[in-house]
Amino acid sequence: MELKLYVDRLSQPSRAILIFCKANGIEFEEVKIDLAKHQHHSPEFAEVNPMKQVPAIAHGDFKLFESHAILIYLASAFPGVADHWYPADVRKRAKIHSVLDWHHSNLRRGSVGYIFNSAIAIAIGAPLNLEAAAEGEKLLSASLAKIESYWLQEDRPFLLGNEKPSIADLSLVCEVMQLEAADESERERILSPHKRILKWIEDTKNATAPYFDEIHSIMPLARENIKELKVQASKP
Amino acid sequence: MSLKVYADRMSQPSRAVILFCKLNGIDFEEIKIDLSKRQQLTREFRDINPLKKVPAIQDGRFKLSESHAILIYLASLYPGVADHWYPADVSKSAKIHSVLDWHHSNLRHGAVTYVLNSALAPALGLPLNPEAAAEGEKLLSASLAEIESVWLKGKGRFLLGSLQPSIADLSLVCEIMQLEVVDDKDRERILAPHQRVLKWIDDTKAATRPHFDEVHSVLFKVKEKLKKLRSQGGGAGEAAESITKACVRSKM
């Protein structure tokens, strides 16, 4: 059965799914849905995902959207995916659901609120909103602090005190990597108080090398593009 | 090993978890964490859930927060929970994960923002905010429309076209029930365009009686008190403050 991933590498949850598939040797066809060209609004894509968002997948006739649901499905449906990604143990699995749920209204909401409204928006033809970005930054910083104080344990590399990464690490780290779209000084300002976060990103990158860097290679290009667009927008 | 459920029945996800347990004959001890008295901030509760939110559970020494994670855990752990609540089939459960994920940033975000800022905020020591309520209402209405056009499509009466309810129906219907505490006129205005949603709520109630009504009785008591106070000419803010005092007095 053929697996198609409908993604844009500028989308954090799209990257999580791409890295997961590559790191687990899952064969797929990457179908780019270019957000900057508004391809997510096409009637063709609406057939795949009526919510008009990436990522979405088609596995044979089975279609699915929402990245956490997709990660869980892929981990469950494909043999050979190591247990640490999505453990069979009901309690270990429950903890992964817990952090993935927390993510929606905390790290994701804060991060998107900040980075979309201060940078990404301009790359897809939407206006910046610095007031909303400031609100988002508050929640983002609080979420990073919560990851350090609660979801990560001091002496274990990954979320929930795990020795090896799970789908939760992929999802949340790809979210933090979206800050690569911001000016270097902004990213530095937000992340440098969080040394434990920086180590966790590094550990996740190493555990999924070389795919993590390959999938994230779009980010410096996006950053430069956004800088350029901001310069153009500021010209009278 | 005994299951403890830390909940406030004024909290929508708390109701979903309690309802699920009762429907499936799961033995549990319900421990009330009164949000209007800020009991979620006590040291004792922080030991259970450092994220200071309800619902949370303790099963032996295992602690868990986030209602969707809890519902999935209980459905997976307890034998005798019928398959339709959380199917073993990977494709079917994937669809349930999909709607539960969508819920966070759509129905829940819209409904919470609207209800908090137009009615409940003073009961939790916060100010009302009509501007934020209007923003919340937009997202709430868009979400109700998406439930009709996407999630309720299919043969059955329940989400994802299912013939029987799942944990997703419990979670989302309990969310919409929170609208009972806003002014009737506003609630009708928001829900009336969505006849398919209203039917689904009725079908879910019917499939989960008598527990549905029992679990929601606190919500309806608060609704009645708010109605009385509104009709006595108090503003929504005063009404909600009186509710807090009434709740404290009656130990609701």
Side-chain angles (χ1 to χ4, degrees):
Chain A
M1 237 189 337
E2 200 188 30
L3 175 66
K4 289 185 180 171
L5 305 186
Y6 297 85
V7 289
D8 184 329
R9 293 182 180 203
L10 194 59
S11 133
Q12 322 82 303
S14 290
R15 294 196 297 271
I17 286 160
L18 286 164
I19 295 168
F20 180 79
C21 286
K22 289 188 178 246
N24 283 285
I26 295 172
E27 272 178 38
F28 63 92
E29 181 193 342
E30 182 175 349
V31 179
K32 181 169 182 179
I33 303 296
D34 195 325
L35 297 174
K37 292 185 192 164
H38 296 268
Q39 286 178 354
H40 51 306
H41 291 147
S42 73
E44 296 81 24
F45 184 62
E47 294 284 310
V48 177
N49 181 7
M51 296 297 186
K52 304 179 187 164
Q53 289 176 318
V54 290
I57 66 166
H59 190 206
D61 285 332
F62 178 68
K63 292 170 196 162
L64 188 65
F65 56 91
E66 283 294 337
S67 68
H68 298 169
I70 293 171
L71 287 164
I72 291 171
Y73 173 76
L74 295 175
S76 309
F78 283 84
V81 173
D83 186 70
H84 62 82
W85 289 110
Y86 186 62
D89 178 82
V90 166
R91 288 182 169 186
K92 288 184 186 172
R93 184 172 279 203
K95 292 285 184 174
I96 287 176
H97 294 149
S98 194
V99 65
L100 286 174
D101 282 348
W102 173 88
H103 176 42
H104 286 284
S105 311
N106 291 276
L107 178 66
R108 176 153 178 79
R109 185 167 297 163
S111 175
V112 166
Y114 168 71
I115 194 69
F116 183 82
N117 288 303
S118 65
I120 307 275
I122 205 172
I124 62 166
L128 296 180
N129 182 339
L130 297 182
E131 210 178 284
E135 272 307 301
E137 190 184 328
K138 277 189 220 155
L139 182 54
L140 167 59
S141 294
S143 301
L144 293 172
K146 191 55 82 176
I147 292 170
E148 290 190 315
S149 66
Y150 179 68
W151 294 113
L152 283 170
Q153 286 173 25
E154 202 49 58
D155 54 344
R156 304 281 185 86
F158 298 106
L159 293 171
L160 305 163
N162 287 329
E163 286 296 336
K164 294 190 182 176
S166 70
I167 55 177
D169 297 281
L170 278 185
S171 176
L172 276 68
V173 168
C174 284
E175 192 68 55
V176 181
M177 289 300 287
Q178 199 71 341
L179 294 176
E180 296 277 329
D183 273 352
E184 292 89 336
S185 60
E186 285 293 288
R187 185 175 169 275
E188 175 76 19
R189 178 176 64 75
I190 293 171
L191 285 181
S192 62
H194 302 287
K195 299 281 186 272
R196 188 68 190 82
I197 295 277
L198 293 170
K199 181 183 182 305
W200 166 55
I201 294 173
E202 200 58 33
D203 287 336
T204 304
K205 184 160 78 156
N206 292 335
T208 54
Y211 311 111
F212 189 96
D213 281 334
E214 192 253 305
I215 298 296
H216 280 92
S217 61
I218 191 182
M219 295 313 292
L221 301 167
R223 183 168 63 240
E224 291 312 307
N225 180 39
I226 286 165
K227 271 186 196 163
E228 182 58 41
L229 288 168
K230 282 185 181 174
V231 166
Q232 282 172 24
S234 67
K235 286 184 180 149
Chain B
M1 265 197 293
S2 70
L3 175 67
K4 293 185 176 155
V5 176
Y6 297 82
D8 183 333
R9 292 186 182 204
M10 282 303 291
S11 134
Q12 320 80 299
S14 289
R15 293 195 295 269
V17 170
I18 293 168
L19 188 49
F20 180 79
C21 288
K22 286 177 180 270
L23 286 165
N24 287 284
I26 295 172
D27 261 332
F28 68 101
E29 182 191 346
E30 183 176 345
I31 295 170
K32 179 166 185 183
I33 303 297
D34 194 324
L35 298 177
S36 72
K37 292 188 206 166
R38 319 253 196 140
Q39 286 177 353
Q40 75 278 23
L41 303 176
T42 64
R43 198 164 292 157
E44 294 81 15
F45 185 62
R46 261 186 282 166
D47 279 340
I48 301 296
N49 183 13
L51 298 173
K52 307 176 223 175
K53 301 256 162 107
V54 290
I57 64 165
Q58 186 170 5
D59 188 9
R61 287 167 62 180
F62 178 69
K63 296 169 197 168
L64 188 65
S65 68
E66 286 293 339
S67 66
H68 297 169
I70 294 170
L71 287 164
I72 292 171
Y73 173 75
L74 295 175
S76 308
L77 194 73
Y78 283 83
V81 171
D83 187 71
H84 62 82
W85 290 111
Y86 184 65
D89 178 88
V90 162
S91 302
K92 288 185 185 168
S93 61
K95 293 283 183 172
I96 288 178
H97 296 148
S98 192
V99 63
L100 287 175
D101 283 346
W102 171 89
H103 177 42
H104 285 285
S105 310
N106 292 278
L107 178 66
R108 176 152 178 77
H109 192 32
V112 165
T113 307
Y114 173 69
V115 173
L116 185 73
N117 289 295
S118 63
L120 281 186
L124 304 169
L126 300 161
L128 292 176
N129 184 337
E131 212 176 280
E135 276 303 304
E137 189 182 328
K138 271 192 226 156
L139 181 54
L140 169 58
S141 294
S143 302
L144 293 171
E146 278 174 344
I147 290 173
E148 293 194 314
S149 65
V150 176
W151 298 116
L152 284 172
K153 268 169 92 165
K155 272 190 236 153
R157 295 172 290 150
F158 299 100
L159 293 172
L160 304 163
S162 295
L163 297 170
Q164 290 180 287
S166 71
I167 55 176
D169 297 280
L170 290 186
S171 177
L172 275 68
V173 168
C174 284
E175 190 69 53
I176 299 175
M177 289 303 290
Q178 201 75 343
L179 290 173
E180 291 288 338
V181 300
V182 309
D183 204 278
D184 274 345
K185 273 195 333 297
D186 291 321
R187 186 175 151 274
E188 272 149 32
R189 179 172 56 74
I190 292 170
L191 286 178
H194 304 288
Q195 292 299 311
R196 185 75 188 80
V197 166
L198 290 169
K199 182 174 183 315
W200 161 60
I201 294 171
D202 280 342
D203 288 335
T204 304
K205 280 185 197 176
T208 57
R209 286 212 155 99
H211 304 292
F212 188 96
D213 296 322
E214 193 262 305
V215 170
H216 281 87
S217 63
V218 165
L219 186 70
F220 279 96
K221 283 202 188 99
V222 170
K223 175 199 172 87
E224 287 312 307
K225 285 198 155 73
L226 277 169
K227 262 171 100 167
K228 236 182 236 168
L229 288 161
R230 278 185 197 118
S231 71
Q232 281 164 13
E238 284 170 46
E241 268 179 70
S242 301
I243 293 295
T244 313
K245 291 183 186 150
C247 288
V248 169
R249 275 200 302 273
S250 68
K251 296 195 176 138
M252 231 164 45

Coordinates of all heavy atoms in Angstrom, one line a residue, chain A residues 15 107 110-111 114-115 137 139-148 152 172-202 212 216 219 223:
Chain A
R15 N 7.4 18.5 9.3 CA 8.8 18.1 9.5 C 8.8 16.9 10.5 O 9.6 15.9 10.2 CB 9.6 19.2 10.0 CG 9.8 20.4 9.0 CD 11.0 21.3 9.4 NE 10.8 21.9 10.7 CZ 10.2 23.1 10.9 NH1 9.7 23.8 9.8 NH2 10.1 23.6 12.1
L107 N 3.0 24.9 24.3 CA 4.2 25.2 23.4 C 3.7 25.6 22.0 O 4.2 26.6 21.5 CB 5.1 24.0 23.3 CG 6.3 24.2 22.4 CD1 7.2 25.3 23.0 CD2 7.1 22.9 22.2
G110 N 1.8 29.0 21.9 CA 2.7 30.1 22.2 C 3.7 30.3 21.1 O 3.9 31.4 20.6
S111 N 4.3 29.2 20.6 CA 5.3 29.3 19.5 C 4.7 29.8 18.2 O 5.2 30.7 17.6 CB 5.9 27.9 19.3 OG 6.8 27.9 18.2
Y114 N 3.9 33.5 18.6 CA 5.1 34.3 18.4 C 5.6 34.3 17.0 O 5.7 35.4 16.4 CB 6.2 33.9 19.4 CG 7.5 34.6 19.1 CD1 7.6 36.0 19.3 CD2 8.5 33.9 18.5 CE1 8.8 36.6 19.0 CE2 9.7 34.6 18.1 CZ 9.8 35.9 18.4 OH 11.0 36.6 18.1
I115 N 6.0 33.1 16.5 CA 6.8 33.1 15.3 C 5.9 33.4 14.0 O 6.4 34.0 13.1 CB 7.6 31.8 15.2 CG1 8.6 31.9 14.1 CG2 6.7 30.6 14.9 CD1 9.8 32.8 14.4
E137 N 4.7 35.2 22.7 CA 6.0 34.9 23.3 C 5.9 34.6 24.8 O 6.7 33.8 25.4 CB 7.0 36.2 23.1 CG 8.4 35.9 23.5 CD 9.3 37.0 23.4 OE1 9.1 37.9 22.5 OE2 10.3 37.1 24.2
L139 N 3.5 33.0 26.4 CA 3.1 31.6 26.5 C 4.3 30.7 26.1 O 4.5 29.6 26.7 CB 1.9 31.3 25.7 CG 1.3 29.9 25.8 CD1 1.0 29.5 27.2 CD2 0.0 29.9 24.9
L140 N 5.0 31.1 25.0 CA 6.1 30.3 24.6 C 7.2 30.1 25.7 O 7.6 29.0 26.0 CB 6.7 31.0 23.3 CG 8.1 30.4 22.9 CD1 8.1 29.0 22.5 CD2 8.6 31.3 21.7
S141 N 7.5 31.2 26.3 CA 8.6 31.2 27.3 C 8.1 30.4 28.5 O 8.9 29.6 29.1 CB 9.0 32.6 27.7 OG 9.6 33.3 26.6
A142 N 6.8 30.6 28.9 CA 6.3 29.8 30.0 C 6.3 28.3 29.7 O 6.6 27.4 30.5 CB 4.9 30.2 30.3
S143 N 6.0 28.0 28.4 CA 6.0 26.6 28.0 C 7.4 26.0 28.0 O 7.6 24.8 28.4 CB 5.4 26.4 26.6 OG 4.1 26.9 26.6
L144 N 8.4 26.7 27.5 CA 9.8 26.2 27.5 C 10.2 26.0 29.0 O 10.9 24.9 29.3 CB 10.7 27.3 26.9 CG 10.5 27.5 25.4 CD1 11.3 28.7 24.9 CD2 10.9 26.2 24.6
A145 N 9.8 26.9 29.9 CA 10.2 26.7 31.3 C 9.5 25.4 31.9 O 10.1 24.7 32.6 CB 9.8 27.9 32.1
K146 N 8.3 25.2 31.5 CA 7.5 24.0 31.9 C 8.2 22.7 31.4 O 8.2 21.7 32.1 CB 6.1 24.1 31.5 CG 5.1 23.1 32.1 CD 5.1 23.1 33.6 CE 4.3 24.2 34.2 NZ 4.2 24.1 35.7
I147 N 8.6 22.7 30.2 CA 9.3 21.6 29.6 C 10.6 21.3 30.4 O 10.8 20.1 30.8 CB 9.7 21.8 28.1 CG1 8.4 21.8 27.3 CG2 10.6 20.7 27.6 CD1 8.7 22.3 25.8
E148 N 11.3 22.3 30.8 CA 12.5 22.1 31.6 C 12.2 21.6 33.0 O 12.9 20.8 33.5 CB 13.3 23.4 31.6 CG 13.9 23.8 30.3 CD 14.9 24.9 30.4 OE1 14.6 25.9 31.1 OE2 16.0 24.8 29.8
L152 N 10.9 17.3 31.0 CA 12.3 16.8 30.9 C 12.8 16.4 32.3 O 12.4 17.2 33.3 CB 13.2 17.8 30.3 CG 13.1 17.9 28.8 CD1 14.0 19.1 28.3 CD2 13.6 16.7 28.0
L172 N 7.6 18.1 19.5 CA 7.9 19.3 20.3 C 9.2 20.0 19.8 O 9.3 21.2 19.8 CB 7.9 19.1 21.8 CG 6.5 19.1 22.5 CD1 5.6 18.0 22.1 CD2 6.6 19.2 24.0
V173 N 10.2 19.2 19.5 CA 11.5 19.8 19.0 C 11.3 20.5 17.7 O 11.8 21.6 17.5 CB 12.6 18.7 19.0 CG1 13.8 19.3 18.2 CG2 13.0 18.3 20.4
C174 N 10.5 19.9 16.8 CA 10.2 20.5 15.5 C 9.5 21.9 15.7 O 9.7 22.8 15.0 CB 9.4 19.6 14.6 SG 10.4 18.3 13.8
E175 N 8.7 21.9 16.8 CA 8.0 23.2 17.1 C 9.0 24.2 17.5 O 9.0 25.3 17.0 CB 7.0 22.9 18.2 CG 6.1 24.1 18.5 CD 5.1 24.2 17.3 OE1 4.4 23.3 17.0 OE2 5.0 25.4 16.8
V176 N 10.0 23.9 18.4 CA 11.0 24.8 18.8 C 11.9 25.2 17.7 O 12.3 26.4 17.6 CB 11.8 24.3 20.0 CG1 12.8 25.3 20.5 CG2 10.9 23.9 21.2
M177 N 12.1 24.3 16.7 CA 13.0 24.6 15.6 C 12.3 25.7 14.7 O 13.0 26.3 13.9 CB 13.2 23.4 14.8 CG 14.2 22.4 15.4 SD 15.8 23.1 15.8 CE 16.5 23.2 14.1
Q178 N 11.0 25.9 14.8 CA 10.4 26.9 14.0 C 11.0 28.3 14.3 O 10.9 29.2 13.5 CB 8.9 26.9 14.2 CG 8.0 27.6 13.2 CD 8.0 26.8 11.8 OE1 8.8 26.0 11.6 NE2 7.0 27.2 11.0
L179 N 11.6 28.5 15.5 CA 12.2 29.7 15.9 C 13.4 30.1 14.9 O 13.9 31.2 14.9 CB 12.6 29.7 17.3 CG 11.5 29.6 18.3 CD1 12.1 29.5 19.8 CD2 10.6 30.8 18.3
E180 N 13.9 29.1 14.2 CA 14.9 29.3 13.2 C 14.5 30.3 12.2 O 15.3 30.9 11.5 CB 15.3 28.0 12.5 CG 15.9 27.0 13.4 CD 17.4 27.2 13.7 OE1 18.1 27.7 12.8 OE2 17.9 26.8 14.8
A181 N 13.2 30.5 12.0 CA 12.7 31.5 11.0 C 12.9 32.9 11.5 O 12.7 33.9 10.7 CB 11.2 31.2 10.7
A182 N 13.1 33.1 12.8 CA 13.3 34.4 13.4 C 14.7 34.9 13.2 O 15.6 34.1 12.9 CB 12.9 34.4 14.9
D183 N 14.9 36.2 13.4 CA 16.2 36.8 13.4 C 17.1 36.1 14.4 O 16.6 35.7 15.5 CB 16.2 38.3 13.8 CG 15.9 39.2 12.6 OD1 16.0 38.7 11.5 OD2 15.7 40.4 12.9
E184 N 18.3 35.9 14.1 CA 19.2 35.1 15.0 C 19.2 35.7 16.4 O 19.2 35.0 17.4 CB 20.7 35.1 14.5 CG 20.9 34.3 13.2 CD 20.6 35.1 11.9 OE1 19.9 36.1 11.9 OE2 21.2 34.6 10.9
S185 N 19.2 37.1 16.5 CA 19.3 37.7 17.8 C 18.0 37.5 18.6 O 18.0 37.3 19.8 CB 19.5 39.2 17.7 OG 18.4 39.8 16.9
E186 N 16.8 37.4 17.9 CA 15.6 37.1 18.6 C 15.6 35.7 19.1 O 15.2 35.4 20.3 CB 14.4 37.3 17.6 CG 14.1 38.7 17.3 CD 13.5 39.4 18.5 OE1 12.3 39.1 18.9 OE2 14.2 40.2 19.1
R187 N 16.0 34.8 18.3 CA 16.0 33.4 18.7 C 17.0 33.2 19.9 O 16.6 32.5 20.9 CB 16.5 32.5 17.5 CG 16.5 31.0 17.8 CD 16.8 30.2 16.6 NE 17.0 28.8 16.9 CZ 18.2 28.3 17.4 NH1 19.2 29.1 17.5 NH2 18.2 27.0 17.7
E188 N 18.1 33.8 19.8 CA 19.1 33.8 20.9 C 18.5 34.3 22.2 O 18.6 33.7 23.3 CB 20.3 34.6 20.5 CG 21.4 34.8 21.5 CD 22.2 33.6 21.7 OE1 22.2 32.7 20.8 OE2 22.9 33.5 22.8
R189 N 17.7 35.4 22.1 CA 17.1 36.1 23.3 C 16.1 35.1 23.9 O 16.1 35.0 25.2 CB 16.4 37.4 22.8 CG 15.7 38.1 23.9 CD 15.1 39.4 23.4 NE 14.1 39.2 22.4 CZ 12.9 38.8 22.6 NH1 12.5 38.6 23.9 NH2 12.0 38.7 21.7
I190 N 15.3 34.5 23.1 CA 14.3 33.6 23.7 C 14.8 32.3 24.2 O 14.4 31.8 25.3 CB 13.2 33.3 22.6 CG1 12.4 34.7 22.3 CG2 12.2 32.3 23.0 CD1 11.5 34.6 21.1
L191 N 15.8 31.7 23.5 CA 16.2 30.4 23.8 C 17.4 30.3 24.8 O 17.5 29.3 25.6 CB 16.6 29.6 22.6 CG 15.4 29.1 21.7 CD1 16.0 28.3 20.5 CD2 14.5 28.2 22.5
S192 N 18.2 31.3 24.8 CA 19.5 31.2 25.6 C 19.2 31.0 27.1 O 20.0 30.3 27.8 CB 20.4 32.4 25.4 OG 19.8 33.6 25.8
P193 N 18.1 31.5 27.7 CA 17.9 31.1 29.1 C 17.6 29.7 29.4 O 17.5 29.2 30.5 CB 16.6 32.0 29.5 CG 16.5 33.0 28.5 CD 17.1 32.4 27.2
H194 N 17.3 28.9 28.3 CA 16.9 27.5 28.4 C 17.9 26.5 27.9 O 17.7 25.9 26.9 CB 15.6 27.3 27.7 CG 14.5 28.3 28.1 ND1 13.8 28.1 29.4 CD2 14.0 29.4 27.6 CE1 12.9 29.1 29.5 NE2 13.0 29.9 28.5
K195 N 19.0 26.4 28.7 CA 20.1 25.5 28.3 C 19.6 24.0 28.2 O 20.1 23.3 27.3 CB 21.2 25.6 29.4 CG 21.8 26.9 29.5 CD 22.8 27.2 28.3 CE 23.5 28.5 28.5 NZ 22.7 29.7 27.9
R196 N 18.7 23.6 29.1 CA 18.2 22.2 29.0 C 17.5 22.0 27.7 O 17.6 20.9 27.2 CB 17.3 22.0 30.3 CG 16.9 20.5 30.5 CD 18.1 19.6 30.9 NE 17.7 18.2 30.8 CZ 17.7 17.5 29.7 NH1 18.0 18.0 28.6 NH2 17.3 16.2 29.8
I197 N 16.7 23.0 27.3 CA 16.0 22.8 26.0 C 17.0 22.7 24.8 O 16.9 21.8 24.0 CB 15.2 24.1 25.7 CG1 14.0 24.2 26.7 CG2 14.6 24.1 24.3 CD1 12.8 23.4 26.5
L198 N 18.1 23.5 24.9 CA 19.1 23.4 23.8 C 19.8 22.0 23.8 O 20.0 21.5 22.7 CB 20.1 24.5 24.0 CG 19.6 25.9 23.8 CD1 20.6 27.0 24.2 CD2 19.1 26.2 22.4
K199 N 20.0 21.5 25.0 CA 20.6 20.1 25.0 C 19.7 19.1 24.4 O 20.0 18.2 23.7 CB 21.0 19.8 26.4 CG 21.7 18.4 26.5 CD 22.0 18.0 27.9 CE 22.7 16.6 28.0 NZ 21.9 15.5 27.3
W200 N 18.4 19.2 24.8 CA 17.3 18.3 24.3 C 17.2 18.3 22.8 O 17.1 17.3 22.1 CB 16.0 18.6 25.0 CG 14.8 18.0 24.5 CD1 14.5 16.7 24.3 CD2 13.6 18.7 24.1 NE1 13.2 16.6 23.9 CE2 12.6 17.8 23.8 CE3 13.3 20.1 24.1 CZ2 11.3 18.2 23.3 CZ3 12.0 20.5 23.7 CH2 11.0 19.5 23.3
I201 N 17.3 19.5 22.2 CA 17.2 19.6 20.8 C 18.4 18.9 20.1 O 18.3 18.1 19.2 CB 17.2 21.1 20.3 CG1 15.9 21.8 20.8 CG2 17.3 21.2 18.8 CD1 15.9 23.3 20.6
E202 N 19.6 19.1 20.7 CA 20.8 18.5 20.2 C 20.7 17.0 20.3 O 21.1 16.2 19.4 CB 22.0 19.0 21.1 CG 23.3 18.8 20.5 CD 23.5 19.5 19.1 OE1 22.9 20.6 18.9 OE2 24.2 19.0 18.3
F212 N 17.3 14.8 10.6 CA 16.9 16.0 11.2 C 17.4 17.2 10.5 O 16.7 18.1 10.2 CB 17.4 16.0 12.7 CG 16.8 17.1 13.5 CD1 15.7 16.8 14.3 CD2 17.4 18.3 13.6 CE1 15.2 17.8 15.1 CE2 16.9 19.3 14.4 CZ 15.7 19.1 15.2
H216 N 15.5 20.0 8.1 CA 15.5 21.4 8.6 C 16.3 22.3 7.8 O 16.4 23.5 8.1 CB 15.9 21.5 10.1 CG 14.8 21.1 11.0 ND1 14.6 19.8 11.5 CD2 13.8 21.8 11.6 CE1 13.6 19.8 12.3 NE2 13.1 21.0 12.4
M219 N 15.1 25.9 6.8 CA 14.9 27.0 7.8 C 15.8 28.2 7.5 O 15.3 29.3 7.5 CB 15.0 26.5 9.2 CG 13.9 25.5 9.6 SD 12.2 25.9 9.2 CE 11.9 27.3 10.3
R223 N 14.5 31.9 6.7 CA 14.9 33.1 7.5 C 15.4 34.2 6.6 O 15.0 35.4 6.8 CB 16.0 32.7 8.5 CG 16.4 33.8 9.5 CD 17.3 33.3 10.6 NE 18.5 32.7 10.2 CZ 18.9 31.4 10.4 NH1 18.1 30.6 11.0 NH2 20.0 31.0 10.0

